[in-house]
Amino acid sequence: MKIVKNLMFVAFAALVSVSAMADGGKKAAPASVAPVALKVDTKASTFNWLGKKVTGEHNGTIGIQSGSLVVNGGKLQGGEFTIDMKTIKCLDLTDAGYNAKLVGHLTTPDFFDVANFPTAKLKIKKATLKSGTNYDVTGDLTINGVTQPITFPAVVSVDAKGATTATAKFEVDRTKFGSKFGSKSFFESIGDKMIYDNFQVDVKIVAAK
C-alpha cells in the first residue's frame, strides 16, 4: 500500500511540473478590464453656483448640456461634460426685475460672454483614488474660450451595474477666464462694490450605460 501511495505522489508531482513548464512557470495574467464610457443623465445631474461680493451673495443653477464619465474596474478614469451657459439662473432674487437684471449682466463679457461662448467645458485628464470613494480630479476647464488646468476633490460611487454618481464642490477663479468686473485684483479702489474673484461650484453628475 505504501508503494502505491508513493507512486501516486510521484505521478502528481510530475503532472504539476509538466503544467508549470507548459506555461513557463508563470501564472496566467488576469483578464484586463476595458474602460467604459457612461452617458451623463442631464436631468438627474445638477450644477449649482454661488458668487459673493462685499455686500452680499447670489446663488443659482446652470444646465448640464451633455457629457460622459469613463470608469474602469469600478473606478473613475476620465470623462468630460458641457455646461449650457445660456441657462444661467439666479435662485435667491425674488424680484423678477432685479433677477433678470443680474442674469442679464452675468451673460455679458463682464462675466461670461455667452453670446460668443455659449458653453463651458470640463475635461477630466486624471482621477487619483485617495481612499474609499474619494478622488483628486485633475482636468482642463474652459470658460469664455479660455482653458485653464484645475484640480479638485470629488466623491465617486459606482454600483454593481456600473451606474456612477460623482459629486464635487470647489472654487473657480473667474479672473483666470477673463472675467475682471468688480475684481479688487485689478481695480484696487473699488471699495464696497468689490465682487470676489472666486465663485463656488457644487456639482452632481449621474451617469449610466
Side-chain angles (χ1 to χ4, degrees):
M1 180 64 87
K2 186 175 181 180
I3 295 175
V4 174
K5 288 183 176 180
N6 288 339
L7 289 174
M8 290 178 64
F9 175 80
V10 172
F12 178 76
L15 180 62
V16 171
S17 298
V18 171
S19 298
M21 291 175 64
D23 64 4
K26 298 180 180 179
K27 293 182 179 180
S32 59
V33 180
V36 178
L38 307 175
K39 184 179 180 180
V40 170
D41 184 340
T42 57
K43 293 183 178 180
S45 302
T46 57
F47 187 106
N48 300 302
W49 60 266
L50 172 66
K52 297 183 178 182
K53 53 185 179 179
V54 173
T55 56
E57 63 183 43
H58 296 294
N59 69 86
T61 63
I62 309 178
I64 297 174
Q65 187 178 92
S66 62
S68 64
L69 290 178
V70 178
V71 297
N72 191 341
K75 296 180 176 61
L76 178 66
Q77 190 175 69
E80 59 183 320
F81 57 93
T82 301
I83 304 300
D84 185 356
M85 300 302 292
K86 301 187 299 298
T87 64
I88 294 177
K89 292 182 180 179
C90 173
L91 300 181
D92 64 280
L93 287 176
T94 57
D95 183 285
Y98 284 119
N99 193 305
K101 184 177 180 180
L102 173 64
V103 171
H105 193 191
L106 290 176
T107 63
T108 70
D110 282 346
F111 292 97
F112 309 108
D113 189 359
V114 174
N116 290 308
F117 306 103
T119 62
K121 295 185 177 182
L122 174 65
K123 183 174 183 178
I124 299 173
K125 301 182 73 175
K126 182 180 180 181
T128 304
L129 180 62
K130 305 297 288 185
S131 63
T133 57
N134 298 301
Y135 287 77
D136 278 343
V137 176
T138 299
D140 287 335
L141 178 62
T142 302
I143 303 175
N144 290 340
V146 178
T147 300
Q148 294 284 349
I150 189 170
T151 298
F152 55 88
V155 177
V156 183
S157 300
V158 183
D159 68 17
K161 295 182 179 180
T164 302
T165 300
T167 59
K169 183 182 290 186
F170 55 95
E171 291 189 338
V172 177
D173 184 349
R174 62 188 176 89
T175 64
K176 291 183 177 181
F177 302 90
S179 174
K180 301 176 182 179
F181 183 83
S183 169
K184 196 171 184 178
S185 299
F186 296 90
F187 308 101
E188 295 183 2
S189 60
I190 200 166
D192 63 2
K193 294 183 180 180
M194 182 190 78
I195 299 172
Y196 290 99
D197 293 347
N198 288 356
F199 65 93
Q200 189 179 89
V201 170
D202 191 348
V203 185
K204 176 182 178 182
I205 300 295
V206 178
K209 294 181 180 179

